[in-house]
Amino acid sequence: NEDVFSSDATPIIPFNRILKGEKYIVQSLPGSTIDASSFLIVSTKDNSVFSITPSAKTVSGFIAGSTFNVTLDYGETILVKADNAGDLSGSTVVSKNGCEKFVVFAGSKCSQSEYSSGNCTGCDHLYTQLIPVSHYGKQFYLAPFALQAGNYVAKVTASEDNTIILIDGVALVTPLNKNESWEYRPIAPSFKKTCIQTSKPSLLYQYLNSKGCNTNSNGNGDPSMLLIPSVDKWVRQAKFGMFNTPNVDVHHINIVAKKSTLLNIQVTADVPFTKSFDTTLLCDEVGVLTILATQGSFEIKSDSLFYSYVYSYVYSIGTNESFAYLTGAKVFPYKGEYALQSRQVCFDAQPITLGI
């Protein structure tokens, strides 16, 4: 989205990486305005029936925790919006017969990253294609955003009951139940890098803070949502483009990996760029390499695993703008063990192991 004061971006999951019978759990931030928080279902087949359970009251009058069904044909969509300034995080979407292939987008027309402080102004568009539960993971590493003094908020959403979250090795007192979310806001130092582990598969997004939270002279940046891949989704190569919008003038790439990997990583581009290496490590000897660049094409290569992402915002020509998107991560269907339950299993031709 290139609209002034409302930009954001998302990677799109290849259709052949989406399985039939997936479940989606929505994550976003609360809306700053009426009916801002929302999610959108896209049908890929005629006469597909979807069961939707919102976590907050919707503008159509469905109450939190109720389930309603909707029938869509190929290419049709339904947009579910929260009533008032609600948060639809934890809402779920499944196909009623258990075997449809579909995709879900989530976000907000207008959200702030913090509502308890009057300083965190900046109401921005959030936009992402959700990954299904089969793509969730358990081990994540968060790096700070360059030039953002207030930095970030991270949000974990659990797919199963009794999910324990460890922040830098310390467990939360109260585990999460399925579909529940928990927000993490690093205390000083604000540029803290964080290691997050979950006992069961979970979803993690990192959000740029609203401009008023970034206590520098011009408060650059607005909220954007960034999918953080689990370690099992890291890659050895990434090719991507960095795009411009009329109202964004600072572009960064973060590469997160083991320190030994970052020292030998290869970055090529068709535009000039500068690199800076943060020697203050995350846990497990993980660090971050930050690239400052302009619009162009980039390629990252390594003999070892990493993940990467782009984030851009206004620094010299204004304040209320940002976007962020993942550029280096694998997307593949669920592989491993699957607990056979009392429902149909739809895995196309994917190899699976059924256990009791």
Side-chain angles (χ1 to χ4, degrees):
N1 178 9
E2 298 184 10
D3 195 20
V4 176
F5 306 139
S6 293
S7 61
D8 208 359
T10 182
I12 301 298
I13 300 173
F15 188 66
N16 63 2
R17 297 295 189 230
I18 302 296
L19 296 173
K20 295 179 180 178
E22 293 280 24
K23 175 183 178 180
Y24 290 87
I25 305 174
V26 173
Q27 190 192 120
S28 186
L29 295 178
S32 299
T33 58
I34 295 174
D35 72 26
S37 180
S38 62
F39 61 90
L40 179 101
I41 304 167
V42 185
S43 174
T44 67
K45 182 176 172 289
D46 287 344
N47 200 34
S48 297
V49 183
F50 302 102
S51 294
I52 303 167
T53 306
S55 61
K57 184 182 177 183
T58 72
V59 294
S60 301
F62 293 101
I63 63 173
S66 64
T67 299
F68 64 95
N69 297 323
V70 61
T71 302
L72 301 176
D73 286 334
Y74 172 78
E76 288 188 333
T77 66
I78 180 171
L79 179 66
V80 179
K81 299 191 291 185
D83 190 30
N84 295 319
D87 182 2
L88 287 171
S89 294
S91 302
T92 60
V93 184
V94 296
S95 65
K96 188 176 181 181
N97 73 5
C99 283
E100 303 293 355
K101 183 182 285 194
F102 63 103
V103 294
V104 181
F105 291 82
S108 177
K109 180 173 64 177
C110 176
S111 281
Q112 296 172 204
S113 61
E114 171 67 74
Y115 289 92
S116 62
S117 169
N119 295 325
C120 293
T121 58
C123 175
D124 204 4
H125 179 212
L126 303 176
Y127 174 60
T128 189
Q129 181 179 355
L130 289 174
I131 60 172
V133 171
S134 65
H135 293 57
Y136 286 11
K138 298 180 182 180
Q139 187 175 6
F140 308 88
Y141 296 93
L142 294 175
F145 299 108
L147 303 180
Q148 295 274 72
N151 241 277
Y152 64 86
V153 55
K155 192 168 182 176
V156 181
T157 300
S159 65
E160 299 179 24
D161 289 340
N162 197 32
T163 296
I164 299 170
I165 301 176
L166 290 87
I167 304 296
D168 295 334
V170 179
L172 294 181
V173 176
T174 305
L176 296 180
N177 287 327
K178 64 179 179 181
N179 308 331
E180 288 185 341
S181 296
W182 177 78
E183 291 187 5
Y184 166 72
R185 301 175 186 275
I187 321 171
S190 60
F191 283 90
K192 184 179 184 329
K193 297 181 290 296
T194 306
C195 307
I196 296 181
Q197 289 180 294
T198 60
S199 61
K200 298 178 181 179
S202 301
L203 175 68
L204 177 62
Y205 273 91
Q206 185 177 7
Y207 297 83
L208 277 80
N209 266 336
S210 299
K211 70 182 185 72
C213 297
N214 292 310
T215 54
N216 51 33
S217 59
N218 79 341
N220 58 294
D222 252 7
S224 288
M225 61 190 306
L226 172 69
L227 173 66
I228 301 299
S230 54
V231 171
D232 60 330
K233 305 296 193 301
W234 289 16
V235 294
R236 290 183 172 85
Q237 182 178 13
K239 297 179 71 173
F240 56 92
M242 182 183 291
F243 66 90
N244 271 347
T245 68
N247 44 321
V248 171
D249 67 344
V250 174
H251 305 278
H252 290 92
I253 301 166
N254 271 5
I255 305 170
V256 180
K258 295 281 188 178
K259 179 181 176 181
S260 57
T261 300
L262 295 177
L263 293 174
N264 298 294
I265 208 160
Q266 300 176 37
V267 181
T268 57
D270 59 0
V271 293
F273 62 89
T274 60
K275 297 189 295 185
S276 60
F277 178 61
D278 190 336
T279 56
T280 306
L281 299 177
L282 288 77
C283 57
D284 301 331
E285 296 294 310
V286 173
V288 56
L289 174 65
T290 299
I291 295 172
L292 175 63
T294 58
Q295 180 183 16
S297 297
F298 295 81
E299 182 172 13
I300 305 171
K301 290 183 178 181
S302 173
D303 292 333
S304 302
L305 297 171
F306 67 89
Y307 84 91
S308 61
Y309 55 91
V310 167
Y311 55 103
S312 305
Y313 37 74
V314 180
Y315 193 77
S316 61
I317 60 176
T319 56
N320 303 14
E321 200 63 83
S322 70
F323 57 80
Y325 54 95
L326 184 66
T327 58
K330 292 184 288 189
V331 180
F332 51 78
Y334 184 93
K335 293 183 179 180
E337 294 187 357
Y338 179 82
L340 184 59
Q341 300 173 352
S342 58
R343 69 176 182 84
Q344 188 173 2
V345 181
C346 309
F347 278 88
D348 293 339
Q350 300 298 326
I352 61 172
T353 299
L354 296 180
I356 298 178

